Each structure stands twice: as C-alpha cells, then as structure tokens.
Amino acid sequence: MISSHTEPLTFSTIAPNAGLKAALSMKRSDLIAEITNSQLKGRGGAGFPTGVKWNLAAAAQADRKFVVCNADEGEPGTFKDRVILTEHADLVFEGMTIGGYAIGAKEGIVYLRAEYTYLRKHLEQVLADRRAKGLLGKNVCGHDGFDFDIHIHMGAGAYICGEETALIESLEGHRGEPRNRPPFPVDTGFLGRPTIVNNVETFAWVTAILVKGSQWFKSHGTARSTGFKIFSVSGDCDKPGIYEFPMGITVSTLLEAVGGLGAKAVQIGGASGHCVPAAEFERTIAYEDVATGGSIMVFGPDRDMLRVAHNFLEFFVEESCGQCTPCRDGNPKILECIEMLDHGVCSSKYLQEICELGETMQVSSKCGLGQSSPNAFLSIVKHFRNELMGRGL
Amino acid sequence: MSDINQLDDKTRAPVSQRPHRIEAGGEGIGANITVTIDGQDVKVPMGTTILEAAEKIGIRIPTLCHHKDLCVAGVCRICSVQVDGMRTLQAACAYPISQPMKIHTHTKKVRQARRHILDLMLSNHYGECYTCGRNGNCELQSLAQEYGVDFFRFGKMEEPIFEIDRSSHSVIRDMNKCIMCRRCVRTCIDLQEVGCLEAIGRGDETEIGTFMDKPLADVICINCGQCINRCPTGALRANDPTDDVWRAIDDPKKHVVIQTAPAPRAAIGECFGLEPGVPMTFEMNTALRMAGFDKVFDTNFTADLTIIEEGTELLLRLKQALVDKKGPVFLPQFTSCSPGWIKYIEHFYPDMLDNLSSAKSPQQMFGAVIKTYYAQLHNIDPKDIVTVALMPCSAKKFECNRPEMMDSGFKDVDYGLTTRELAKMLKEAGIDLPRMAKSDFDDPFGTATGSGVIFGATGGVMEAALRTVIELVVGIKVENLFDHANIMPVRGFEGIKYVELTIPDVGPVPDILKGLFDSWDFLKGVTVKVAVVHGTGNAKKVLDNIKAGGKFAECHFIEFMACPGGCLGGGGQPIPTTPEIRAARAKAIYAEDEAYEIRKSHENPAVLELYTKFLTEGPCGHKSHKLLHTHYTPRGKYIA
Ligand SMILES: Cc1cc2nc3c(=O)[nH]c(=O)nc-3n(C[C@H](O)[C@H](O)[C@H](O)COP(=O)(O)O)c2cc1C
Ligand code: SF4
Ligand code: SF4
Ligand code: SF4
Ligand code: SF4
Ligand code: FES
C-alpha cells in the first residue's frame, strides 16, 4: 500500500529484529551515538533530534523511565502512522524496545488514537507474538537484565492529546492539557519520571537505522534534514495516498509524483502547517524550509482559499484545549475575521490587526497548537490577499 | 511534619496544575545562576522563576493567573517575556531558570503580546465596572489601566451570556466576568482538596464549571470562599446581605446588635488604605455605633464560652476513655468552630462526625445567647432583635442559615457580614474608620479575653484551650510553664502542627466543674497529644492518617480550620491575600492578646456570670446543650 519513490520501499526491506539485535550488542552510549549520528529528527512534526532527546532521558536518574509511542495521529490530512502500524507494527515495537534499552526503561506505552481502536486487536496480537518469541518481557532477546514490555493505552479522542505533555496528562488520567515546559518529559514525564515520547514513524526509522547504519541514513535527504520521510498526500491530485520520499524534495517534484501538477497551493504540515502558493513550489520540504509531520494537502485551481482557512480555523477553535488566552480566545477572533471577509465587511485595517494577533499567538501561546494555528491563515492572507478582499458585494 | 506530608502525597490536583519546578540545587557549583533582565544582572538559585528573579531587582512583570498561594498554571500568558535565543516568548511565572540567559521584559513583541492578551480577555468579559463588587480592586481593571487600554480592539461582550449562580448562601458565581485564570480551580483542588470547580469543555467552549453544571449550592462546595479571595475579578463574590442589614438598622422597631469576630479587626484597616496588620478593634466599635448598630458585642465572649463547653466535653471524653471505659469513645475530639471545616467533614468524612465537638461555633452560640439571655435581661422581645455577625468568613453565611440553628426559637444569627462588606457599609456612611476614636464593647458581655482574640489565627483555639485546661486541671498558672502564657509550639503557619504535653500533677477540681468530675487523678501523668491543622487540604492528610491508624489517631484533641492561616485568612477578608499579608494579620492578633489584662477564657467574668445567672447547670448541662450545642449532617460526596 505504501507507494514508494525509492525502490524497494525502505520499511519492507528491513529484516525482522536485526535492528534490535544490533542494538543489544552495543553499549548504550554507542547506541545513542549511532542515533545521534544519523541526525534523525522526530517525524511527528516538531523535528526535535531523536538522539539528543534519548541522551537526555538516558542521563536522567530515576527509579522508573518510560518509552511512549505517540500514535495519536490527529493532524487533519495525516494517516501515515495508521498505515505504518497496520503494515509494519513490528518495526515500531522494535524501535520502542531499542529506545527502552537506550534510556534504561522497562515500560513502553503506545498511546493509540481513539479512532484507531479497530487496530488494537491486530497490535495486541503482534505484541503477544513478540512476547512469545522472547522479544518482549524478561531478558529481551536473551539479553541478561534487560526487561521491557509494551502496553496499549487508548487515546481520549482530542487532537491536543497528540501534544506530548498533554498526552502524558491524559495517560495519567487527567484532562488532556499541555504542561509548562521546562521541565521537559525527558526529565519529568509520565508519573513524574523521565519519558521519551516519539512518533510512530520515528521509532520505525530507528529500527531501520540500526539495520542499515547511520551513514546510510545520512547519505539521503539534506544536510540538516537527513533520511526519508513518509507523507500522507490528500486533496486535489490524481494519486492521493502514502508516499516515501527523501527529505528535501521540492514541492513540485512531489506534486509531479502524486499527479497534482497545476495545483494552486499546497498545505504542508496539516492544519497547523503552512500554505505554499504555486509561485513557491520550488521550495523544499525539510526542517530548514517547509517542515511537516507528513501531511500534504493539494489545492486545485478551483479551491476557495478563504473556505480552506475557514475549515482550518473551525478545527482549531474546537480543538484548542482552552487553557491559555492567546489560543482559546485568539482562534475565534481569526475565525470571526474570516467570516467578516466572507461577507465583505472586514476592513484592511482590521485584517491587519488580526494578522498581528496571529503573530502574537505564534509567540505567546502555551503549546504548539496555538503557536501554529494561525500559520495557515497568515500564509493564505499573504499569498491570496486579492482572493479574500472585496467579497460579499 | 515532613513525614506526613511525604507519606500522603495523593493530591487530586491534575499534574498540570501542580508545581513543576526544577529543585534548587543547594549550595554547590551551579546552584546559583546569574541571568540578565533588561540589562541588569541578578543571581538566583536554580529553579527560581523569571518572575521571582525580576521581582528581586524591582522589575515589574504583570501577572493574572499567578498567585503566591497557588501552584504554577502558566495559562493567562500576560507575563510573557522575551528570552534571547528562543523563538517564542516565555511565561515568566512558569519558567524555572536553569541556565544563564538574557531576558527582556518590555520589547515591542512583549508589549504587543500583552496588549493583545488583555484585549482578548476584555473582548470576552462582561465589563460593567460601575456595578461590580470589585470596582477599584480588580486585577483586570488595573491592568487595563496600566496598559492604557482605550478601546476594545477585538470588540466587547454586549450582553451577559451566563446566568449568575446565586444558589449558594455563601458564594455567587458570575461567569460573565471570568477570565479563565483558574485560580479558583487551583484553590479549590490544591489548597482545599475539595475540587468542586473545574475547567470543563474545550476550545472556545471552555468554562469554569461544577459537577454536571449544577448550582453551587447543590455540589460539594464547603463555602470557604478561598476562591473568592483569589479571583482576580468580580466573577466570584460573597453573597452580600448589606441591603438587608441597612433595612434592619433603618427600622426603628428593630434592635440591631452586631457581634464582631477577632479576625476582621486585624484586617479591615486594609480596606481603608492601611498596611496589613494594624488592628482596628476599638475604632470599629465607635464606627459601628455611628453606622447605627444598637449594641456592639465581642464574639470573643462566646469564644471563651466555647473553650469552656468544648474543653469540658473533651475532659468528659477523656474520663470516659480512661475511667468509665464503657461505650464507644470518640477521640481525638475535633474542634467545630469553622463552618467550612464542618461542611468539609460532612461531605468527605461523614463517618467521622462523632469525633466533632458538639459545641456550636462562637457565632452561633452568641446568636442563641443574645436572643435568650440578653433578650430576657433587657426585656426585649427576641422577635425584634436582629443579630448580625461580623465575620472573616463566607461559610458563616451558610452556617447561620442551617435549619438546626434556631435554638432560641428564632433564627439565632440573622446575617453573616464579611469584613469586606462591613468596610463597604462604613464607606457608604462616610465613616473613615482609622480616624475614629476608640471605644469599648457593650455590656453585659464586655471585653473578652486574649484567648478569645487568638481564635482568629490558626492554633488559637488550641492555645486558648490549653491555657484553660492547664489551669483548671493542673491547678498552676500557665505562665509557669510558658513564658507570658504564650504557647509557642501551637503557633505559626505550618500546615500541620503536632504537640505533646505531659500533665505532671493535678490540682483540685474547680467549682464550675464539680458537678461533673470528682477528681483529676485519672489525668495524672497522661501525655496529652494535640494537633493544629489549617486548610482543608491539610485536614485531608490528617484524617486519612487517622483512618490508617497513624500517629494522629493517637491524638486527644485536634483543631481544624478550613482556611489557610485560620480565620485571619478567611473567605470574607480583604482581597488580596498572600502569605505575607496573613502573617501581618497574625502579628496584630497576637499583639492584641498580649495587651489584654485577662487572657484566659475561664477567667472571663461575663462568662462566669452567664453560668451563675443563666446556664445554672454548668458547662455541658441541659440548657447549654439545648442552646450551645448542635448536631451534624452526614452529606457524603456523591451528589444526586
Ligand atoms: C497540537 C499538537 C498535536 C500533536 N499531535 C501529534 C500526533 O498526533 N502525533 C505525533 O507523533 N506528534 C504530535 N505532536 C508532536 C508531539 O508533541 C511531539 O513533538 C512528538 O510526539 C515527538 O515525537 P517525535 O520527536 O518523534 O516527532 C503534536 C504536537 C502538537 C502541538
Ligand atoms: S496553545 Fe491552545 S492547545 Fe495549547 S495550551 Fe494554549 S489553549 Fe491549550
Ligand atoms: S471584574 Fe473588574 S473589569 Fe470586570 S466589571 Fe468588575 S471591576 Fe470591571
Ligand atoms: S468556596 Fe471553597 S469549596 Fe466552595 S468553590 Fe470556593 S474554594 Fe471551593
Ligand atoms: S472565576 Fe475568577 S478565579 Fe476562577 S477562573 Fe474565573 S476569573 Fe479566575
Ligand atoms: S501570570 Fe504567568 S501565565 Fe499567567
């Protein structure tokens, strides 16, 4: 089902458990050094270097530590984690086990999106098989003194629970609301213990890197965005679906591959990402240019960009956790402004005020949701201003 | 008390609302960090917040959701500051310093963000300052002024959208004025361990609500009013009876008497621009008469009476346990003067109500005494007497409306008035309290004792009780055991205090108790174990410890106060409240105690006279049981 740009598809070429065995034969510090050297960055969106995160958690002293797999996949237009879990669950669990070994954790938790409940049976079966084979449980793979097991926790059904600290709150049975940071989860995470939270895809790449080596991974992508990435492509194109590309490809290359040439704009990074207009299709998809957790939405020539912005903002007005002022009260103001634009009653001056409010939200919101919710609107205003003004007359 | 605090760390507060701090690293290398704020260097221990560091060098950063009594929330974002090398602004109140950094508190970005945040709050706030109880003492209003807000950038709320919840006798909630700072939520959960307020809903529908959105009167609210004292706006306020009190004063047929509790006088000056900690006791007597009250009485009279009744009850329970040894004995005995505490135990530990002293609170005792003894003495028909109680407390409003509080045949106390409400009445009458001449309380209750006064601070009831029990039982002057009769171990703001006192020798049984006891021999050599607890959050720890058979189960007597700091931190006291303000009020209270000639409850001549003239069967006798004692309602915490 994964249609791949690189033949053969990377995840299908990884020999089962070779990565785990390689990891267990290494010293913990060398293992983390290998991940660090690959320069793998988190595939959940924020792009934090995985090696750095693991190193911090490994260095923290505590009676218990945790490995959490973020399978909450709630970003509109993202469905790659679902596919990875369906087809390559072993790689993910293997990556989590490697993570447990690396940081000294015994417990792994998969935080599974409520809408993916149907996957649970399959995942439990994979876990049971792994236990039966000695790949989970006591002395994993016969490695003396390394115990590790994984259980599945069902998500609470809110987008915000994908944010790692809200996810931890939710795991603890509280209302899913982001925490203040610092301290970070690597220091004070689940139950106040050091915790690494990584995306489903990140764990799968960890496994791949241990099999094929960090040099291999680094030889793909760009200098600052190494390796490959799985994309969920949707919208106005001929071949929507899941794709694997090296990091750093241009938007136009991607559009060509998915049959989306002639698009008017592409939303990269889901509702919280940026809207790239046709004039900028030579930009690259990479952490240093346009970053994404994997969602690509193609907007054809007939799309009404104001409606696009409206849909996104409606989403955020509802999905904000309601904790901090800029996000809780700011998103409705942007939505209101979009409606005013639609009715042709928004002055350029007020539009300017709202854009400035958007900038305030980007810097003063408590978490990534409010910090990124104005992105789409701001980029649509920037690139499609003519399309927005003078309506409703 | 560190052992119990660690033992029992099962706080229900969501982790996001608990403090997340990096612990300060002692004195070693790296324990102190130098940061630069607006170009000024300041050295602080690791884990200090940016806000605290700025305060240290006199740089003001505005705050709203932050409160010194509460754990960090970091939700309003008004305290945003810029840090070199960071893309986003940081919430100064929530950012623990762990490395050197350069901080800027008023860059363009910061000013714009603060203005926007304020504008957003104002756009969702039903601002009608003229008619708002917090006009002139509102953190939102003063920030709007500080930032020169002169128009509603993002519009304003034209019509209220929430119905005001007036169901409670104590606390009124007007969510049209709520700015979602969640101080009330943190107060109710973290400080008080009640948890009847919580953020519900998501996104723009988020609101502060109760269980199933029920009226406050129908949930497990204990009426402590601590949330009111920490609300930055007029969203929470006490149920204000001043119109009714004026009506009574204005009615020539009514004889309006007011009793004043010890804590308000230590704080009311704050409403008149005085520093915290300037007592206004005798100025207030003059002011109250000027305002039109017919008599001004001192609640300390019944505080002293409480000590006699409750102390006798304790001695009876001890005798039952040590001598009679029959029937169930309910020890430790719990104090019963804090109505917030009473409602707390009724909801959360209904199986422990037998441990409560059956003695009414001083407020309710006084109400009953006024409408019986005083009415007879002065030949006034009790139906024409209106009793007002000046209290530091919002729960007193609920207490005086309890259906069982009608033992005089009438409503014993008609109105509970808070310190804030009295200040308002005096201002309305043009009375500048600090400039009033001093005058005494009215007879026949006169000026009470120092023991009554200290009821206003945590540990006060215990100290008063110990002074009396020591003298009545041991038969020696307290001064021989404690300098100036100041029993220091039970004083101070530690959440839970535990004290042991061995009774070395016993004296003769004093006349007043002769009907109940033959001798004190059973107490000889007994080590009396007592504890003092304030804040229902601490009460929970102690009650759980008792249930688990811990060391507090061994106690004989425990003082519980619902409010942090005791009554001086009550829910009806002037706003704001901070640990420093409460400490200043406590100082005023202890200073007043020292100034009294008579400092022990059992030496109060008016109390002794009451027992000879009216309660002739003595303490815990039939009549005092009818008038001065009560019973409790097991409520449970599950609401229908
Ligand atoms: C509002 C919000 C929602 C998020 N949702 C997800 C999600 O569904 N899945 C995910 O992996 N990361 C999500 N993240 C990112 C996580 O907070 C976190 O950065 C990530 O799980 C870290 O893993 P990584 O480093 O492997 O990417 C979200 C972040 C925000 C602010
Ligand atoms: S930015 Fe939005 S989602 Fe994040 S904490 Fe604030 S209100 Fe909640
Ligand atoms: S809460 Fe403050 S700003 Fe709002 S109406 Fe009252 S005084 Fe005015
Ligand atoms: S009065 Fe006390 S119990 Fe009631 S809501 Fe306020 S803090 Fe909670
Ligand atoms: S009611 Fe008051 S304290 Fe509670 S959230 Fe609203 S403004 Fe804050
Ligand atoms: S005061 Fe710091 S976020 Fe509210």
Side-chain angles (χ1 to χ4, degrees), chain B residues 175 177-185 208 227 230-233 235-236:
Chain B
M175 289 303 104
K177 293 193 177 126
C178 173
I179 55 166
M180 307 289 294
C181 69
R182 302 197 188 180
R183 282 189 191 172
C184 56
V185 174
I208 306 300
C227 51
R230 288 170 185 78
C231 178
T233 71
L236 297 174

Side-chain angles (χ1 to χ4, degrees), chain A residues 172 177 319-320 360 363 366, chain B residues 15 73 89 116 182 202-203:
Chain A
E172 291 181 359
E177 287 186 345
E319 294 297 333
S320 153
T360 290
V363 294
K366 180 164 176 170
Chain B
V15 175
L89 303 179
H116 277 151
R182 302 197 188 180
R202 248 197 291 157

Side-chain angles (χ1 to χ4, degrees), chain B residues 489-532:
Chain B
V490 297
R491 296 191 185 178
F493 286 116
E494 206 179 339
I496 301 166
K497 285 162 287 193
Y498 173 88
V499 178
E500 291 183 4
L501 250 178
T502 304
I503 298 178
D505 218 337
V506 293
V509 176
D511 289 347
I512 188 171
L513 294 177
K514 280 220 167 99
L516 296 168
F517 303 93
D518 307 326
S519 96
W520 293 136
D521 285 348
F522 69 99
L523 288 172
K524 198 166 168 172
V526 168
T527 297
V528 180
K529 297 171 183 165
V530 301
V532 173

Side-chain angles (χ1 to χ4, degrees), chain A residues 65-68 93 96-97 100-101 105-110 124 126-132 135-140 146-152:
Chain A
K65 296 184 185 180
F66 298 96
V67 174
V68 174
F93 295 146
M96 289 176 70
T97 314
Y101 178 67
K106 289 185 167 50
E107 295 154 85
I109 303 163
V110 178
E124 295 284 10
V126 176
L127 286 173
D129 292 347
R130 292 186 72 81
R131 276 181 210 115
L135 300 166
L136 285 175
K138 275 213 149 329
N139 301 329
V140 173
F146 175 51
D147 307 339
F148 190 80
D149 210 336
I150 297 174
H151 77 265
I152 297 173

Side-chain angles (χ1 to χ4, degrees), chain A residues 4-20:
Chain A
S4 171
H5 178 74
T6 42
E7 289 295 340
L9 175 79
T10 310
F11 287 159
S12 357
T13 65
I14 306 296
N17 303 314
L20 177 57

